[in-house]
Amino acid sequence: MSWLSNVSSLKQQVTAQVTQGLLSASKLLESDEDAIIKKVQETHKPQGRQVDNLDGLFSIIGKILLHDNPKSDHDEKSVVHEVPASLINKICCKLACNCTDRDAEETTMKILEKELQNYLWDEKLVIVAAAFAVNYGEFYLLTQLDTPDPVAKNMAFLKQLQFIKEIGSASQNLSGAINELIHAIMTVIKCVLQFSVLDPKYFEAEEQPSAPTEIARATYWTIYSVVTCGSYIAKLVGLRNQNTMAEMTSQLKTLASKVSSMQKVLQVKFSHRKHEIETYKWLINRFNTYQDHTILSDLFDVEGGKTALVVGHDNKKEVDINSLKGSNVWLLISGPDACHAEMKTLTKLYLKLQTKEQNRYHIVWLPIVDEFNEREFSSLQSLMPWYTVRNPKIIKPVAIRYIREVWKFTNETILVPLLPKGHSKSLTPRTLDPLWISGDLLSLFSVHDQKKSLWHQNLQITLDLLLGGIYPEDSSKPASILCLYGGEDIKWIEDFTTMINRVKNSTKISIDLVYVSKSNAIDHYNNAIFDFITAKKVGGYWKADETHSWHFWTRLESIFSWGIRDGKNAKINDTMRDVMSLLSFNGSYKGWAVFGQLGSSHKVVKATGEVVLDVLRINNWWKAGTNVDSFMLALNQQIEQHLKVQKHHCYHIVLPTTVPRIPDEMMICAICDRKMGKYLMYRCCE
């Protein structure tokens, strides 16, 4: 009786453990799935493909779990030469030992974290399925009551598995649920294996909800289902409780339904990704065989006979792509936050070209946006007299992928020329650097010649280079000195303008003053400066939100960017040294000044505000009768002499993110010749 009592007690303990496990599984199905999948993704640290011939291994698993043994069966040894047997055995043990574990979720996460973190998603699934197949195969063989093998019969007796089929409908329902779950598991694994034939970098870069996220979700629930089913099979030893079997059956059917639903989602995503990749390859071929403007139609997805493009400033008119036939077209590609001053400046250059070339050149704007903001889009679109897309949403995803991957678009505005009878080599994206330097849109069609003319000669930073196309030259007036100055120290501005007026009154030299705002200045903070200039009538000023100021600083940045791309170093190149000095003024609160003459081949004269004031206060070098040329020469000499004896502070340069990556060794201080330090600065609109 004591022995029978112990057996009865053991059966009650097993039944209780099974019931607790079922409650745990039910609780998980109602839990925060997204949080779980995030943890699963954090465990994924693949180190390349590690299992060869995954399809062959999966085929062997199918022969065990699905009893799939076709007549044309061949020797698996010739198909799969090696399997990760040690790992499969280790996971087998975890599945078998989970019979006393109340939490299949914990076991699932341990397998993912400790055993499978360095494997690809499809490898994780196949390895776990192989481990389950080993355990299930043993169970299947032992439950075949008609087996002639005495060893199998005796093992089944010792595990009391012969009672499973004697119980009747409960065991049949459980067996059906196990088979249903196995079919769901095998189907979802087969679906995941399909993704290995796709270009992995395509869907790895997708935003959520993405194929990798859904694959991670399917991987987790598939392994969880295997762990759960494996634990139920292990708990069948000596089990005769029909209620427990019914609860197991219900739980396995629920898991089978969940896994099957994921397979459907994955299949849809696979079909979608496959179609997109095929479409992308087709688009690449279209651009490689480019002939004319009709390729634009392949970039848009429009329905109901609507047009893709509109044209005009305010009252946008719908236009057909064929209206561009025979024209030279630029694709203007930008982000959604393109600078308004940039677009205003481009508009001026575009309208100037239209007048000159009788509308033979056109621009088509393609904004590349991740999240569409109608207000931002409309605000930018209202500045543009050229062709624009009706809505950024109509640009096909494959077109955006092509623009990002082939034309290397990040967020810096680019122009891509489409010639009327072009070829694929003409589809070369151009940065706007040569445009901001030359002020001529046509220069983008001869970008290589422009580069040669800019850097392969003795380039000098003249006033014409800095202000060509920005500041109009009045040829009817005698040559005068133009002084650009800036800074936000109003006391220095008052002292400087007073000193300039004294020089003008004494020498009778014409000196025109223009205050240039910093590119990142907030104009209403500088109202006191603008009011002072207006009240004292000491020249003009360029606000930060006006095209003149923006174009001036952007031109300097463009010259600098071009020099960096060409390997110019401030330590050995005077032009880069001068450009870096000028750019340092844009990042400084203190005053600065630049003197020069339009139409002159001489370099500009530049200095910080402190140096300029000190030099101008030495009044023995400028006097009545001094002419423009002698004044400029003497001013430059005085500044150079002053810098030799004055204790100076080195400067800093603030560069936009659009400037190309700069090797640290190329950033040499223009004053002390030492390598400059690099810091990261974040700045809000205020």
Side-chain angles (χ1 to χ4, degrees):
M1 292 296 292
S2 176
W3 178 77
L4 291 174
S5 176
N6 289 339
V7 170
S8 176
S9 175
L10 180 61
K11 288 183 178 179
Q12 290 175 359
Q13 290 177 20
V14 171
T15 301
Q17 289 168 356
V18 171
T19 302
Q20 289 171 337
L22 291 168
L23 291 174
S24 176
S26 298
K27 186 177 180 182
L28 177 64
L29 288 169
E30 300 172 358
S31 64
D32 183 1
E33 187 175 293
D34 289 339
I36 296 172
I37 302 309
K38 185 177 180 181
K39 290 181 181 179
V40 172
Q41 289 177 309
E42 290 172 354
T43 69
H44 186 56
K45 301 172 183 178
Q47 296 180 357
R49 187 157 296 285
Q50 301 185 57
V51 181
D52 294 329
N53 200 352
L54 212 58
D55 289 332
L57 179 56
F58 181 68
S59 176
I60 293 173
I61 294 167
K63 296 182 191 319
I64 299 172
L65 296 180
L66 303 176
H67 319 305
D68 182 14
N69 290 290
K71 293 181 181 180
S72 59
D73 193 15
H74 48 273
D75 185 10
E76 271 74 26
K77 291 183 179 180
S78 65
V79 178
V80 182
H81 299 285
E82 188 177 350
V83 296
S86 176
L87 178 58
I88 290 173
N89 183 63
K90 188 181 292 186
I91 296 175
C92 278
C93 295
K94 288 185 179 293
L95 297 179
C97 294
N98 192 49
C99 59
T100 58
D101 192 347
R102 300 176 184 177
D103 196 352
E105 178 189 4
E106 182 180 346
T107 302
T108 301
M109 291 305 299
K110 283 181 179 178
I111 291 173
L112 287 168
E113 289 174 353
K114 296 184 178 180
E115 315 300 342
L116 300 174
Q117 68 170 344
N118 296 329
Y119 290 84
L120 300 172
W121 293 116
D122 53 0
E123 292 176 329
K124 297 178 200 282
L125 288 169
V126 172
I127 289 171
V128 171
F132 177 66
V134 171
N135 287 359
Y136 174 80
E138 178 188 352
F139 168 77
Y140 175 79
L141 292 174
L142 294 180
T143 54
Q144 302 305 301
L145 298 182
D146 56 350
T147 177
D149 189 342
V151 175
K153 282 187 175 182
N154 289 322
M155 285 184 65
F157 175 76
L158 291 175
K159 292 192 174 187
Q160 296 288 282
L161 293 176
Q162 74 273 20
F163 293 114
I164 292 177
K165 293 192 175 182
E166 294 177 4
I167 293 175
S169 61
S171 66
Q172 291 177 4
N173 292 338
L174 178 58
S175 178
I178 291 173
N179 288 331
E180 183 181 341
L181 180 58
I182 286 174
H183 275 83
I185 287 170
M186 294 298 286
T187 304
V188 81
I189 294 175
K190 184 177 180 180
C191 186
V192 171
L193 286 171
Q194 293 180 107
F195 281 88
S196 63
V197 304
L198 300 179
D199 178 4
K201 70 179 180 181
Y202 180 73
F203 56 83
E204 284 291 345
E206 288 288 311
E207 296 294 330
Q208 290 188 349
S210 64
T213 300
E214 297 307 326
I215 289 174
R217 192 185 308 277
T219 300
Y220 174 80
W221 282 108
T222 300
I223 296 177
Y224 177 87
S225 298
V226 165
V227 171
T228 302
C229 188
S231 69
Y232 288 177
I233 290 173
K235 290 166 186 173
L236 287 176
V237 174
L239 181 65
R240 300 187 187 183
N241 190 311
Q242 295 189 38
N243 291 332
T244 301
M245 284 190 177
E247 290 173 357
M248 285 181 173
T249 299
S250 175
Q251 197 66 42
L252 293 179
K253 281 182 172 292
T254 301
L255 287 173
S257 176
K258 188 172 186 66
V259 173
S260 293
S261 67
M262 291 177 184
Q263 183 272 330
K264 293 175 183 177
V265 172
L266 278 176
Q267 191 60 49
V268 170
K269 284 191 172 290
F270 172 77
S271 299
H272 178 67
R273 292 291 177 266
K274 184 178 179 182
H275 172 73
E276 283 194 338
I277 290 175
E278 290 172 351
T279 305
Y280 179 60
K281 290 178 179 177
W282 173 83
L283 186 63
I284 290 175
N285 183 62
R286 282 281 286 139
F287 274 107
N288 287 341
T289 57
Y290 159 74
Q291 293 180 339
D292 55 39
H293 72 285
T294 56
I295 198 171
L296 286 174
S297 302
D298 301 324
L299 305 181
F300 308 120
D301 186 7
V302 292
E303 299 177 352
K306 292 183 179 180
T307 60
L309 303 178
V310 294
V311 68
H313 265 295
D314 299 319
N315 299 319
K316 297 295 182 183
K317 176 185 175 183
E318 293 187 354
V319 288
D320 191 86
I321 288 175
N322 287 326
S323 63
L324 296 170
K325 186 176 181 179
S327 299
N328 295 284
V329 177
W330 283 288
L331 296 183
L332 174 65
I333 302 171
S334 76
D337 54 351
C339 176
H340 280 220
E342 180 180 49
M343 291 302 138
K344 289 177 182 178
T345 305
L346 184 58
T347 295
K348 288 182 179 180
L349 300 177
Y350 174 74
L351 294 176
K352 179 181 176 181
L353 178 66
Q354 290 290 75
T355 302
K356 180 181 178 182
E357 297 292 337
Q358 300 179 342
N359 296 326
R360 292 192 300 112
Y361 291 85
H362 296 285
I363 291 177
V364 177
W365 180 45
L366 303 181
I368 306 302
V369 301
D370 294 322
E371 294 183 8
F372 176 56
N373 184 310
E374 187 173 358
R375 188 167 62 88
E376 286 182 357
F377 170 72
S378 298
S379 177
L380 268 175
Q381 190 184 42
S382 66
L383 303 174
M384 302 176 179
W386 47 74
Y387 292 79
T388 67
V389 291
R390 180 164 41 82
N391 188 308
K393 294 179 180 178
I394 69 172
I395 303 176
K396 293 179 180 178
V398 290
I400 294 175
R401 182 190 175 194
Y402 184 91
I403 290 169
R404 291 190 187 280
E405 291 189 5
V406 179
W407 290 342
K408 307 300 181 185
F409 172 77
T410 51
N411 256 346
E412 181 184 4
T413 303
I414 60 174
L415 281 168
V416 181
L418 300 179
L419 302 178
K421 294 182 180 179
H423 48 80
S424 60
K425 290 184 179 179
S426 69
L427 296 172
T428 304
R430 314 287 167 84
T431 67
L432 302 191
D433 287 341
L435 175 62
W436 305 138
I437 295 170
S438 68
D440 182 9
L441 267 168
L442 289 180
S443 66
L444 295 184
F445 279 105
S446 55
V447 64
H448 300 298
D449 293 339
Q450 176 68 23
K451 181 174 181 179
K452 184 176 180 180
S453 65
L454 183 67
W455 281 110
H456 291 262
Q457 63 178 354
N458 188 21
L459 182 68
Q460 300 287 332
I461 300 299
T462 65
L463 206 58
D464 283 356
L465 178 61
L466 296 180
L467 298 183
I470 301 176
Y471 187 87
E473 181 180 4
D474 189 351
S475 58
S476 63
K477 293 183 178 180
S480 62
I481 296 172
L482 178 61
C483 174
L484 307 176
Y485 69 104
E488 296 175 339
D489 182 351
I490 193 167
K491 177 65 170 61
W492 175 86
I493 291 172
E494 291 173 354
D495 292 343
F496 174 70
T497 53
T498 299
M499 200 68 229
I500 289 294
N501 282 333
R502 187 179 302 171
V503 172
K504 289 167 64 177
N505 292 333
S506 298
T507 63
K508 307 305 179 183
I509 294 174
S510 176
I511 303 177
D512 297 328
L513 292 174
V514 176
Y515 175 83
V516 181
S517 299
K518 291 165 58 177
S519 62
N520 60 1
I522 307 300
D523 283 333
H524 66 80
Y525 288 171
N526 288 337
N527 280 338
I529 296 174
F530 303 146
D531 292 342
F532 168 79
I533 292 172
T534 302
K536 298 296 183 179
K537 298 180 181 180
V538 285
Y541 54 81
W542 295 343
K543 291 185 176 182
D545 63 358
E546 293 178 352
T547 59
H548 292 81
S549 178
W550 179 89
H551 198 168
F552 173 77
W553 294 117
T554 301
R555 177 170 289 178
L556 282 170
E557 291 167 359
S558 296
I559 296 172
F560 177 79
S561 297
W562 217 338
I564 290 296
R565 292 189 184 101
D566 205 41
K568 304 301 179 184
N569 190 315
K571 194 168 186 177
I572 58 176
N573 187 279
D574 289 340
T575 300
M576 284 296 284
R577 185 186 294 267
D578 291 339
V579 171
M580 290 177 69
S581 295
L582 291 167
L583 283 173
S584 72
F585 299 156
N586 190 30
S588 174
Y589 166 83
K590 297 180 179 180
W592 56 270
V594 175
F595 297 84
Q597 286 179 277
L598 290 171
S600 171
S601 59
H602 294 297
K603 286 173 55 175
V604 295
V605 178
K606 63 192 181 309
T608 61
E610 181 184 3
V611 171
V612 168
L613 268 183
D614 287 347
V615 167
L616 290 177
R617 283 170 177 155
I618 304 173
N619 59 9
N620 60 351
W621 64 270
W622 54 268
K623 53 189 176 182
T626 302
N627 59 33
V628 170
D629 292 337
S630 60
F631 178 83
M632 291 293 294
L633 180 62
L635 176 62
N636 187 51
Q637 291 173 345
Q638 292 292 326
I639 289 174
E640 288 182 351
Q641 291 174 9
H642 194 82
L643 290 175
K644 289 179 181 179
V645 297
Q646 182 204 37
K647 290 183 178 180
H648 62 268
H649 297 285
C650 293
Y651 55 71
H652 67 274
I653 299 176
V654 178
L655 298 172
T657 55
T658 53
V659 169
R661 185 181 178 277
I662 307 170
D664 291 343
E665 61 272 13
M666 292 185 67
M667 290 301 293
I668 304 299
C669 177
I671 296 176
C672 69
D673 284 338
R674 287 181 293 187
K675 188 169 76 172
M676 301 178 73
K678 181 170 65 176
Y679 299 87
L680 185 64
M681 182 179 76
Y682 292 94
R683 187 181 188 276
C684 73
C685 59
E686 295 295 325

